[in-house]
């Protein structure tokens, strides 16, 4: 059973389009995250979402919007995609008070 | 501002050798220091973690050394194997609150047979 699953695994799209990446965790965790990993492998947190409280990273453009229908899902919607958005996006989750993060396999987004 | 600084960026070690990766942090509120291992095409996975009340933690061939006064911690991989070739990330966080982890910039380890 996959603990944290993301779809799609690969996403190629044109500039200006709007796209979504879905994430689901079956671990019963309370907190979910989105991370961006750039071409240099640097992992940077974008958002964390805990019990309906969204914590926004101020450096993330408002074209990125997370949506959480329930605590097992945290989807990432991106509007007006730009070339610089090309990266691998990872979803992760943690159990409250336990900081071991479980990561999904990543979504490689390529904007052309 | 980079909350956790990691070095080296890349490391090549011969099979059987010792791999050492170093990290430093500034925020004294951090009380959780994990290391993650990432293979190509996969997400990072927790390898080993330490809390600041101990100076060393060992799990198999992997050891974390922690120096609270210097605000530094390091990962030692003994008897390095080709299967250890991966990217390693140190991280730091606070166990309460939002549970945000701040990651280092990663070290690409290559173990040569």
């Amino acid at each position: 059973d996959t603990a944290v699953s993301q779809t799609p695994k690969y996403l190629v799209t044109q500039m200006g389009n709007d796209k979504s990446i879905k994430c689901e965790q079956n671990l019963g965790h309370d907190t979910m995250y989105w991370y961006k990993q750039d071409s240099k492998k640097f992992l940077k947190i974008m958002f964390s979402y805990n019990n309906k409280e969204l914590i926004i990273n101020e450096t993330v453009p408002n074209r990125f919007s997370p949506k959480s229908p329930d605590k097992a899902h945290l989807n990432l919607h991106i509007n007006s995609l730009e070339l610089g958005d090309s990266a691998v996006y990872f979803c992760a989750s943690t159990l409250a008070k336990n900081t071991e993060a479980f990561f999904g396999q990543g979504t490689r987004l390529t904007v052309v | 501002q980079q909350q956790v600084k990691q070095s080296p960026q890349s490391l090549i070690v011969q099979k059987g050798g010792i791999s050492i990766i170093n990290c430093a942090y500034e925020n004294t509120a951090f009380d959780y220091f994990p290391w993650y291992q990432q293979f190509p095409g996969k997400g990072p996975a927790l390898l080993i973690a330490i809390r600041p009340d101990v100076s060393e933690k060992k799990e198999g061939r992997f050891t974390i050394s922690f120096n609270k006064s210097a605000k530094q911690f390091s990962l030692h991989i003994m008897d390095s194997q080709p299967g250890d070739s991966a990217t390693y990330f140190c991280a730091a966080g606070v166990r309460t609150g939002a549970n945000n982890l701040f990651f280092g910039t990663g070290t690409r380890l290559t173990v040569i047979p």
Side-chain angles (χ1 to χ4, degrees):
Chain A
D1 286 341
T2 304
V4 181
S5 60
Q6 296 177 227
T7 54
K9 191 170 182 180
Y10 300 97
L11 183 55
V12 180
T13 187
Q14 290 190 322
M15 281 176 57
N17 284 350
D18 302 339
K19 290 292 179 186
S20 293
I21 306 171
K22 295 185 177 181
C23 179
E24 176 182 4
Q25 55 93 5
N26 62 6
L27 297 167
H29 286 174
D30 291 321
T31 306
M32 296 184 71
Y33 310 79
W34 279 105
Y35 284 86
K36 179 180 180 180
Q37 187 171 48
D38 61 24
S39 58
K40 295 184 179 179
K41 299 291 187 183
F42 178 47
L43 265 171
K44 189 172 181 182
I45 190 164
M46 301 175 69
F47 305 100
S48 65
Y49 208 108
N50 177 268
N51 288 329
K52 298 186 180 180
E53 181 186 359
L54 174 64
I55 299 168
I56 299 173
N57 185 314
E58 293 178 0
T59 64
V60 178
N62 57 15
R63 298 181 294 103
F64 291 80
S65 56
K67 293 185 185 350
S68 180
D70 54 62
K71 74 174 190 178
H73 296 83
L74 183 63
N75 304 324
L76 182 65
H77 189 75
I78 315 169
N79 289 328
S80 303
L81 278 155
E82 299 177 357
L83 292 176
D85 297 332
S86 296
V88 181
Y89 292 84
F90 285 99
C91 176
S93 71
T94 60
L95 184 63
K97 308 300 184 185
N98 179 339
T99 50
E100 177 179 356
F102 288 80
F103 284 82
Q105 290 215 342
T107 296
R108 183 175 292 277
L109 171 65
T110 303
V111 182
V112 297
Chain B
Q1 182 184 359
Q2 187 65 30
Q3 295 263 7
V4 179
K5 295 181 180 176
Q6 182 172 348
S7 63
Q9 216 171 17
S10 62
L11 182 60
I12 299 174
V13 173
Q14 288 219 315
K15 179 182 174 182
I18 302 173
S19 305
I20 302 174
I21 305 171
N22 300 301
C23 285
Y25 65 98
E26 287 298 323
N27 189 343
T28 55
F30 290 151
D31 58 2
Y32 177 67
F33 302 91
W35 285 88
Y36 281 80
Q37 180 187 54
Q38 184 180 25
F39 292 105
K42 302 290 186 183
L46 180 67
L47 184 65
I48 186 172
I50 197 168
R51 296 176 199 175
D53 52 343
V54 296
S55 60
E56 187 175 281
K57 183 174 181 180
K58 185 176 180 179
E59 289 184 2
R61 297 183 294 107
F62 300 91
T63 300
I64 301 179
S65 297
F66 185 79
N67 186 329
K68 188 173 181 178
S69 60
K71 291 186 284 187
Q72 295 174 346
F73 57 111
S74 59
L75 176 70
H76 292 62
I77 306 174
M78 311 300 287
D79 188 25
S80 299
Q81 300 296 313
D84 297 331
S85 297
T87 300
Y88 292 81
F89 294 92
C90 62
V94 180
R95 288 178 55 79
T96 58
N99 286 342
N100 282 359
L101 279 176
F102 296 92
F103 283 84
T105 48
T107 297
R108 180 171 288 184
L109 171 66
T110 304
V111 181
I112 301 171

